[in-house]
Amino acid sequence: QQPVQSPQAVILREGEDAVINCSSSKALYSVHWYRQKHGEAPVFLMILLKGGEQKGHEKISASFNEKKQQSSLYLTASQLSYSGTYFCGTPVESFGNEKLTFGTGTRLTIIP
Amino acid sequence: NAGVTQTPKFRVLKTGQSMTLLCAQDMNHEYMYWYRQDPGMGLRLIHYSVGEGTTAKGEVPDGYNVSRLKKQNFLLGLESAAPSQTSVYFCASSYSVLGGPKPYTQYFGPGTRLTVL
């Protein structure tokens, strides 16, 4: 079942912070985060594993709450280059990670 | 390394025509995937493969067929194109190392924009 992302879209001024949430109705063993810039392919940002540590990529970090079946992506002091659509992906099957189902995305726009 | 490549980049078809999209990867990945992306729908899995000679259905397989005759190639076919198949198609590949830090990280190709009139 497709994870639910919120918000659907957010507009920030450069330097502001944002949080993107991803929640699932079933138990999660991992959450994958991807970013897609306009007209380009999705690019892997990070993966959070059950029992693993919070991850970071540039000034982007994420957390994974297994009990609540959700993950949050934190963008700190946003830069113009952070603009794009962020997708979370969760395994279709409990133990096999080879198939992911993706949320519908959160469009992030950074303005100067 | 070219990574994941897709051909063609753009294509316009008439209803009922057929075509094949080619995906190639040079990373020796076991797993390959075909997705379609429509506005507001995110990425939806059409078919995937866990190794040479194997294929399996994803979320939205109807109207598509696939083949993986060689490990590095994954072909997506439309036998009789319909306007509902107008979309951007992405191919991806992945691998997993037991106990590795990035299991099944997916690497995407640049996409094929298909319009069916």
PDB file of all heavy atoms in Angstrom, chain A residues 74-97:
ATOM      1  N   TYR A  74      14.089  16.192   7.207  1.00  0.00           N
ATOM      2  CA  TYR A  74      14.314  17.540   7.712  1.00  0.00           C
ATOM      3  C   TYR A  74      15.286  18.271   6.797  1.00  0.00           C
ATOM      4  O   TYR A  74      16.396  17.802   6.572  1.00  0.00           O
ATOM      5  CB  TYR A  74      14.895  17.490   9.123  1.00  0.00           C
ATOM      6  CG  TYR A  74      14.081  16.662  10.090  1.00  0.00           C
ATOM      7  CD1 TYR A  74      14.399  15.331  10.325  1.00  0.00           C
ATOM      8  CD2 TYR A  74      13.004  17.215  10.767  1.00  0.00           C
ATOM      9  CE1 TYR A  74      13.655  14.563  11.197  1.00  0.00           C
ATOM     10  CE2 TYR A  74      12.249  16.451  11.646  1.00  0.00           C
ATOM     11  CZ  TYR A  74      12.577  15.134  11.858  1.00  0.00           C
ATOM     12  OH  TYR A  74      11.829  14.377  12.725  1.00  0.00           O
ATOM     13  N   LEU A  75      14.858  19.400   6.280  1.00  0.00           N
ATOM     14  CA  LEU A  75      15.716  20.224   5.442  1.00  0.00           C
ATOM     15  C   LEU A  75      16.038  21.498   6.210  1.00  0.00           C
ATOM     16  O   LEU A  75      15.146  22.297   6.505  1.00  0.00           O
ATOM     17  CB  LEU A  75      15.043  20.565   4.117  1.00  0.00           C
ATOM     18  CG  LEU A  75      14.751  19.357   3.215  1.00  0.00           C
ATOM     19  CD1 LEU A  75      13.331  18.856   3.404  1.00  0.00           C
ATOM     20  CD2 LEU A  75      15.010  19.694   1.767  1.00  0.00           C
ATOM     21  N   THR A  76      17.296  21.659   6.553  1.00  0.00           N
ATOM     22  CA  THR A  76      17.741  22.770   7.390  1.00  0.00           C
ATOM     23  C   THR A  76      18.423  23.834   6.550  1.00  0.00           C
ATOM     24  O   THR A  76      19.223  23.511   5.673  1.00  0.00           O
ATOM     25  CB  THR A  76      18.724  22.254   8.452  1.00  0.00           C
ATOM     26  OG1 THR A  76      18.115  21.165   9.150  1.00  0.00           O
ATOM     27  CG2 THR A  76      19.109  23.353   9.417  1.00  0.00           C
ATOM     28  N   ALA A  77      18.101  25.078   6.835  1.00  0.00           N
ATOM     29  CA  ALA A  77      18.718  26.212   6.126  1.00  0.00           C
ATOM     30  C   ALA A  77      18.682  25.970   4.622  1.00  0.00           C
ATOM     31  O   ALA A  77      19.721  25.884   3.959  1.00  0.00           O
ATOM     32  CB  ALA A  77      20.153  26.420   6.619  1.00  0.00           C
ATOM     33  N   SER A  78      17.481  25.821   4.100  1.00  0.00           N
ATOM     34  CA  SER A  78      17.305  25.377   2.715  1.00  0.00           C
ATOM     35  C   SER A  78      18.043  26.255   1.706  1.00  0.00           C
ATOM     36  O   SER A  78      18.159  27.469   1.859  1.00  0.00           O
ATOM     37  CB  SER A  78      15.822  25.329   2.375  1.00  0.00           C
ATOM     38  OG  SER A  78      15.221  26.579   2.602  1.00  0.00           O
ATOM     39  N   GLN A  79      18.528  25.604   0.661  1.00  0.00           N
ATOM     40  CA  GLN A  79      19.232  26.269  -0.426  1.00  0.00           C
ATOM     41  C   GLN A  79      18.395  26.143  -1.694  1.00  0.00           C
ATOM     42  O   GLN A  79      17.537  25.278  -1.801  1.00  0.00           O
ATOM     43  CB  GLN A  79      20.596  25.596  -0.648  1.00  0.00           C
ATOM     44  CG  GLN A  79      21.442  25.512   0.596  1.00  0.00           C
ATOM     45  CD  GLN A  79      22.641  24.595   0.410  1.00  0.00           C
ATOM     46  OE1 GLN A  79      22.976  24.198  -0.705  1.00  0.00           O
ATOM     47  NE2 GLN A  79      23.294  24.257   1.498  1.00  0.00           N
ATOM     48  N   LEU A  80      18.664  27.012  -2.659  1.00  0.00           N
ATOM     49  CA  LEU A  80      17.922  26.967  -3.926  1.00  0.00           C
ATOM     50  C   LEU A  80      18.019  25.590  -4.568  1.00  0.00           C
ATOM     51  O   LEU A  80      17.063  25.116  -5.203  1.00  0.00           O
ATOM     52  CB  LEU A  80      18.447  28.036  -4.884  1.00  0.00           C
ATOM     53  CG  LEU A  80      18.205  29.479  -4.475  1.00  0.00           C
ATOM     54  CD1 LEU A  80      18.878  30.429  -5.460  1.00  0.00           C
ATOM     55  CD2 LEU A  80      16.713  29.788  -4.392  1.00  0.00           C
ATOM     56  N   SER A  81      19.154  24.917  -4.368  1.00  0.00           N
ATOM     57  CA  SER A  81      19.371  23.612  -4.990  1.00  0.00           C
ATOM     58  C   SER A  81      18.486  22.519  -4.392  1.00  0.00           C
ATOM     59  O   SER A  81      18.405  21.426  -4.932  1.00  0.00           O
ATOM     60  CB  SER A  81      20.838  23.199  -4.850  1.00  0.00           C
ATOM     61  OG  SER A  81      21.189  23.078  -3.482  1.00  0.00           O
ATOM     62  N   TYR A  82      17.828  22.807  -3.288  1.00  0.00           N
ATOM     63  CA  TYR A  82      16.959  21.806  -2.665  1.00  0.00           C
ATOM     64  C   TYR A  82      15.593  21.720  -3.354  1.00  0.00           C
ATOM     65  O   TYR A  82      14.819  20.827  -3.070  1.00  0.00           O
ATOM     66  CB  TYR A  82      16.737  22.129  -1.202  1.00  0.00           C
ATOM     67  CG  TYR A  82      17.921  21.891  -0.299  1.00  0.00           C
ATOM     68  CD1 TYR A  82      17.850  22.182   1.058  1.00  0.00           C
ATOM     69  CD2 TYR A  82      19.110  21.405  -0.798  1.00  0.00           C
ATOM     70  CE1 TYR A  82      18.925  21.974   1.889  1.00  0.00           C
ATOM     71  CE2 TYR A  82      20.201  21.197   0.027  1.00  0.00           C
ATOM     72  CZ  TYR A  82      20.107  21.484   1.378  1.00  0.00           C
ATOM     73  OH  TYR A  82      21.171  21.292   2.194  1.00  0.00           O
ATOM     74  N   SER A  83      15.294  22.647  -4.224  1.00  0.00           N
ATOM     75  CA  SER A  83      13.999  22.618  -4.913  1.00  0.00           C
ATOM     76  C   SER A  83      13.832  21.316  -5.682  1.00  0.00           C
ATOM     77  O   SER A  83      14.776  20.782  -6.256  1.00  0.00           O
ATOM     78  CB  SER A  83      13.890  23.800  -5.890  1.00  0.00           C
ATOM     79  OG  SER A  83      13.766  25.008  -5.201  1.00  0.00           O
ATOM     80  N   GLY A  84      12.619  20.794  -5.671  1.00  0.00           N
ATOM     81  CA  GLY A  84      12.341  19.554  -6.376  1.00  0.00           C
ATOM     82  C   GLY A  84      11.206  18.836  -5.684  1.00  0.00           C
ATOM     83  O   GLY A  84      10.595  19.349  -4.745  1.00  0.00           O
ATOM     84  N   THR A  85      10.933  17.631  -6.150  1.00  0.00           N
ATOM     85  CA  THR A  85       9.894  16.815  -5.534  1.00  0.00           C
ATOM     86  C   THR A  85      10.555  15.682  -4.768  1.00  0.00           C
ATOM     87  O   THR A  85      11.422  14.990  -5.298  1.00  0.00           O
ATOM     88  CB  THR A  85       8.932  16.256  -6.588  1.00  0.00           C
ATOM     89  OG1 THR A  85       8.323  17.353  -7.286  1.00  0.00           O
ATOM     90  CG2 THR A  85       7.841  15.429  -5.931  1.00  0.00           C
ATOM     91  N   TYR A  86      10.161  15.512  -3.527  1.00  0.00           N
ATOM     92  CA  TYR A  86      10.731  14.491  -2.652  1.00  0.00           C
ATOM     93  C   TYR A  86       9.753  13.328  -2.524  1.00  0.00           C
ATOM     94  O   TYR A  86       8.569  13.532  -2.257  1.00  0.00           O
ATOM     95  CB  TYR A  86      11.030  15.091  -1.279  1.00  0.00           C
ATOM     96  CG  TYR A  86      12.178  16.064  -1.320  1.00  0.00           C
ATOM     97  CD1 TYR A  86      12.006  17.360  -1.807  1.00  0.00           C
ATOM     98  CD2 TYR A  86      13.456  15.694  -0.893  1.00  0.00           C
ATOM     99  CE1 TYR A  86      13.064  18.252  -1.882  1.00  0.00           C
ATOM    100  CE2 TYR A  86      14.516  16.576  -0.954  1.00  0.00           C
ATOM    101  CZ  TYR A  86      14.320  17.846  -1.457  1.00  0.00           C
ATOM    102  OH  TYR A  86      15.375  18.723  -1.526  1.00  0.00           O
ATOM    103  N   PHE A  87      10.285  12.141  -2.744  1.00  0.00           N
ATOM    104  CA  PHE A  87       9.477  10.930  -2.643  1.00  0.00           C
ATOM    105  C   PHE A  87      10.017  10.025  -1.539  1.00  0.00           C
ATOM    106  O   PHE A  87      11.235   9.852  -1.414  1.00  0.00           O
ATOM    107  CB  PHE A  87       9.527  10.120  -3.943  1.00  0.00           C
ATOM    108  CG  PHE A  87       8.883  10.794  -5.119  1.00  0.00           C
ATOM    109  CD1 PHE A  87       9.653  11.499  -6.025  1.00  0.00           C
ATOM    110  CD2 PHE A  87       7.517  10.715  -5.323  1.00  0.00           C
ATOM    111  CE1 PHE A  87       9.076  12.122  -7.128  1.00  0.00           C
ATOM    112  CE2 PHE A  87       6.931  11.332  -6.416  1.00  0.00           C
ATOM    113  CZ  PHE A  87       7.713  12.036  -7.313  1.00  0.00           C
ATOM    114  N   CYS A  88       9.122   9.434  -0.775  1.00  0.00           N
ATOM    115  CA  CYS A  88       9.549   8.351   0.097  1.00  0.00           C
ATOM    116  C   CYS A  88       9.086   7.044  -0.537  1.00  0.00           C
ATOM    117  O   CYS A  88       8.065   6.992  -1.223  1.00  0.00           O
ATOM    118  CB  CYS A  88       8.984   8.508   1.505  1.00  0.00           C
ATOM    119  SG  CYS A  88       7.189   8.324   1.660  1.00  0.00           S
ATOM    120  N   GLY A  89       9.867   6.013  -0.323  1.00  0.00           N
ATOM    121  CA  GLY A  89       9.538   4.691  -0.837  1.00  0.00           C
ATOM    122  C   GLY A  89       9.626   3.685   0.286  1.00  0.00           C
ATOM    123  O   GLY A  89      10.549   3.736   1.104  1.00  0.00           O
ATOM    124  N   THR A  90       8.667   2.777   0.334  1.00  0.00           N
ATOM    125  CA  THR A  90       8.662   1.757   1.374  1.00  0.00           C
ATOM    126  C   THR A  90       8.562   0.381   0.726  1.00  0.00           C
ATOM    127  O   THR A  90       7.963   0.240  -0.350  1.00  0.00           O
ATOM    128  CB  THR A  90       7.487   1.957   2.345  1.00  0.00           C
ATOM    129  OG1 THR A  90       6.261   1.972   1.599  1.00  0.00           O
ATOM    130  CG2 THR A  90       7.618   3.271   3.088  1.00  0.00           C
ATOM    131  N   PRO A  91       9.143  -0.641   1.333  1.00  0.00           N
ATOM    132  CA  PRO A  91       9.104  -1.985   0.733  1.00  0.00           C
ATOM    133  C   PRO A  91       7.680  -2.485   0.575  1.00  0.00           C
ATOM    134  O   PRO A  91       6.847  -2.332   1.465  1.00  0.00           O
ATOM    135  CB  PRO A  91       9.886  -2.840   1.725  1.00  0.00           C
ATOM    136  CG  PRO A  91      10.718  -1.883   2.491  1.00  0.00           C
ATOM    137  CD  PRO A  91       9.925  -0.629   2.571  1.00  0.00           C
ATOM    138  N   VAL A  92       7.433  -3.119  -0.566  1.00  0.00           N
ATOM    139  CA  VAL A  92       6.111  -3.683  -0.817  1.00  0.00           C
ATOM    140  C   VAL A  92       5.877  -4.880   0.091  1.00  0.00           C
ATOM    141  O   VAL A  92       4.790  -5.096   0.609  1.00  0.00           O
ATOM    142  CB  VAL A  92       5.979  -4.097  -2.292  1.00  0.00           C
ATOM    143  CG1 VAL A  92       4.685  -4.858  -2.531  1.00  0.00           C
ATOM    144  CG2 VAL A  92       6.039  -2.870  -3.183  1.00  0.00           C
ATOM    145  N   GLU A  93       6.941  -5.661   0.269  1.00  0.00           N
ATOM    146  CA  GLU A  93       6.817  -6.838   1.125  1.00  0.00           C
ATOM    147  C   GLU A  93       7.651  -6.661   2.372  1.00  0.00           C
ATOM    148  O   GLU A  93       8.641  -5.950   2.369  1.00  0.00           O
ATOM    149  CB  GLU A  93       7.255  -8.089   0.359  1.00  0.00           C
ATOM    150  CG  GLU A  93       6.332  -8.426  -0.789  1.00  0.00           C
ATOM    151  CD  GLU A  93       6.998  -9.296  -1.833  1.00  0.00           C
ATOM    152  OE1 GLU A  93       8.160  -9.703  -1.628  1.00  0.00           O
ATOM    153  OE2 GLU A  93       6.354  -9.567  -2.862  1.00  0.00           O
ATOM    154  N   SER A  94       7.271  -7.318   3.415  1.00  0.00           N
ATOM    155  CA  SER A  94       7.885  -7.071   4.718  1.00  0.00           C
ATOM    156  C   SER A  94       9.383  -7.303   4.737  1.00  0.00           C
ATOM    157  O   SER A  94      10.127  -6.499   5.259  1.00  0.00           O
ATOM    158  CB  SER A  94       7.229  -7.966   5.772  1.00  0.00           C
ATOM    159  OG  SER A  94       5.862  -7.697   5.857  1.00  0.00           O
ATOM    160  N   PHE A  95       9.827  -8.431   4.163  1.00  0.00           N
ATOM    161  CA  PHE A  95      11.231  -8.773   4.310  1.00  0.00           C
ATOM    162  C   PHE A  95      12.059  -8.551   3.059  1.00  0.00           C
ATOM    163  O   PHE A  95      13.248  -8.522   3.119  1.00  0.00           O
ATOM    164  CB  PHE A  95      11.370 -10.234   4.758  1.00  0.00           C
ATOM    165  CG  PHE A  95      10.784 -10.484   6.099  1.00  0.00           C
ATOM    166  CD1 PHE A  95       9.539 -11.064   6.231  1.00  0.00           C
ATOM    167  CD2 PHE A  95      11.467 -10.114   7.244  1.00  0.00           C
ATOM    168  CE1 PHE A  95       8.983 -11.284   7.477  1.00  0.00           C
ATOM    169  CE2 PHE A  95      10.917 -10.337   8.499  1.00  0.00           C
ATOM    170  CZ  PHE A  95       9.674 -10.923   8.615  1.00  0.00           C
ATOM    171  N   GLY A  96      11.412  -8.383   1.964  1.00  0.00           N
ATOM    172  CA  GLY A  96      12.126  -8.166   0.713  1.00  0.00           C
ATOM    173  C   GLY A  96      12.100  -6.708   0.347  1.00  0.00           C
ATOM    174  O   GLY A  96      11.056  -6.113   0.150  1.00  0.00           O
ATOM    175  N   ASN A  97      13.263  -6.101   0.230  1.00  0.00           N
ATOM    176  CA  ASN A  97      13.311  -4.689  -0.075  1.00  0.00           C
ATOM    177  C   ASN A  97      13.425  -4.392  -1.553  1.00  0.00           C
ATOM    178  O   ASN A  97      13.525  -3.235  -1.926  1.00  0.00           O
ATOM    179  CB  ASN A  97      14.505  -4.046   0.636  1.00  0.00           C
ATOM    180  CG  ASN A  97      14.199  -3.755   2.079  1.00  0.00           C
ATOM    181  OD1 ASN A  97      13.101  -3.362   2.404  1.00  0.00           O
ATOM    182  ND2 ASN A  97      15.154  -3.944   2.938  1.00  0.00           N
TER     183      ASN A  97
END
